[in-house]
Amino acid sequence: MKNLNDYIASYQAQLQKGDILIAYKELVSFVMKLRTDLKRDSSFDYSVTGILHGYLDYTYFYFSNDFLKSKKLKFGLVLNHLEMRFELWLLGNTAEIQKKYWTFLKETKWNKNRMEMPDYSVLEVVLIETPNFDDLPLLQENIEIELNKNLLEISTFLYKNTNF
């Protein structure tokens, strides 16, 4: 059985190769550019937070508008490093809100195949399953198209169906 020193030695060896450092820096830079461009886009009707880094598992930022804030909800645009894909998450502001919205949304098309609430959200949509990082402008365009389509659909559903 490995101990922590063994894991750290393996981690250090991978970092010293350099590929992980370059890949991580480029991935985070891309998400930062996405965030900045969305924040500057006058048609994007959401307030955007700063970039958050997980434990090499997720890079993400939150965004919300007055309606979502009134419902104690927010969206997250997530780069899932483990699956290497882009996702849209709907999150509650507290564990209690998460449970409330999970109960409300678990029978919807977005959660139809889920038996349990996700660890961090109440709804997760894959925006880009297999991103092509060799064409970043096209990737960003595709993310924005899928993001806006899903935001409209989810927000409309919430607006029409939440009276609590």
Side-chain angles (χ1 to χ4, degrees), residues 5-59:
N5 283 328
D6 294 330
Y7 289 114
I8 291 173
S10 176
Y11 173 72
Q12 185 180 22
Q14 291 301 314
L15 288 175
Q16 288 173 347
K17 288 181 182 179
D19 291 350
I20 290 175
L21 290 171
I22 293 167
Y24 188 76
K25 178 187 172 289
E26 293 300 322
L27 290 169
V28 170
S29 293
F30 179 71
V31 174
M32 290 173 83
K33 182 176 180 341
L34 265 172
R35 178 202 165 272
T36 299
D37 290 350
L38 285 172
K39 190 173 181 173
R40 289 181 180 160
D41 182 351
S42 61
S43 68
F44 192 70
D45 191 30
Y46 296 88
S47 58
V48 180
T49 67
I51 295 283
L52 301 157
H53 306 277
Y55 297 104
L56 291 179
D57 52 0
Y58 303 106
T59 302

Side-chain angles (χ1 to χ4, degrees):
M1 183 171 155
K2 289 184 177 183
N3 61 36
L4 184 55
N5 283 328
D6 294 330
Y7 289 114
I8 291 173
S10 176
Y11 173 72
Q12 185 180 22
Q14 291 301 314
L15 288 175
Q16 288 173 347
K17 288 181 182 179
D19 291 350
I20 290 175
L21 290 171
I22 293 167
Y24 188 76
K25 178 187 172 289
E26 293 300 322
L27 290 169
V28 170
S29 293
F30 179 71
V31 174
M32 290 173 83
K33 182 176 180 341
L34 265 172
R35 178 202 165 272
T36 299
D37 290 350
L38 285 172
K39 190 173 181 173
R40 289 181 180 160
D41 182 351
S42 61
S43 68
F44 192 70
D45 191 30
Y46 296 88
S47 58
V48 180
T49 67
I51 295 283
L52 301 157
H53 306 277
Y55 297 104
L56 291 179
D57 52 0
Y58 303 106
T59 302
Y60 56 99
F61 58 90
Y62 298 127
F63 52 97
S64 191
N65 59 20
D66 290 340
F67 171 73
L68 290 170
K69 288 175 186 172
S70 75
K71 300 296 183 182
K72 299 182 180 169
L73 295 169
K74 58 190 167 191
F75 282 113
L77 180 60
V78 179
L79 169 58
N80 180 332
H81 291 256
L82 298 173
E83 302 292 333
M84 199 46 65
R85 65 187 187 195
F86 288 90
E87 301 171 350
L88 174 64
W89 292 3
L90 179 67
L91 306 98
N93 290 347
T94 65
E96 184 180 318
I97 297 295
Q98 294 264 114
K99 288 177 188 170
K100 175 179 162 181
Y101 279 96
W102 165 250
T103 301
F104 171 66
L105 294 167
K106 69 181 176 182
E107 300 299 324
T108 64
K109 72 176 193 172
W110 300 288
N111 284 322
K112 67 180 174 187
N113 296 321
R114 287 197 171 268
M115 302 307 288
E116 297 178 348
M117 186 174 91
D119 290 334
Y120 305 111
S121 66
V122 295
L123 181 151
E124 298 176 358
V125 176
V126 175
L127 298 175
I128 305 292
E129 181 74 42
T130 52
N132 177 3
F133 292 101
D134 287 333
D135 189 345
L136 294 179
L138 181 60
L139 176 57
Q140 181 167 340
E141 181 181 332
N142 289 336
I143 290 169
E144 290 175 4
I145 289 167
E146 289 300 311
L147 176 66
N148 287 317
K149 178 179 78 173
N150 283 281
L151 285 175
L152 179 62
E153 187 175 10
I154 295 165
S155 295
T156 300
F157 178 84
L158 291 170
Y159 187 75
K160 288 181 178 179
N161 295 290
T162 55
N163 55 4
F164 47 89

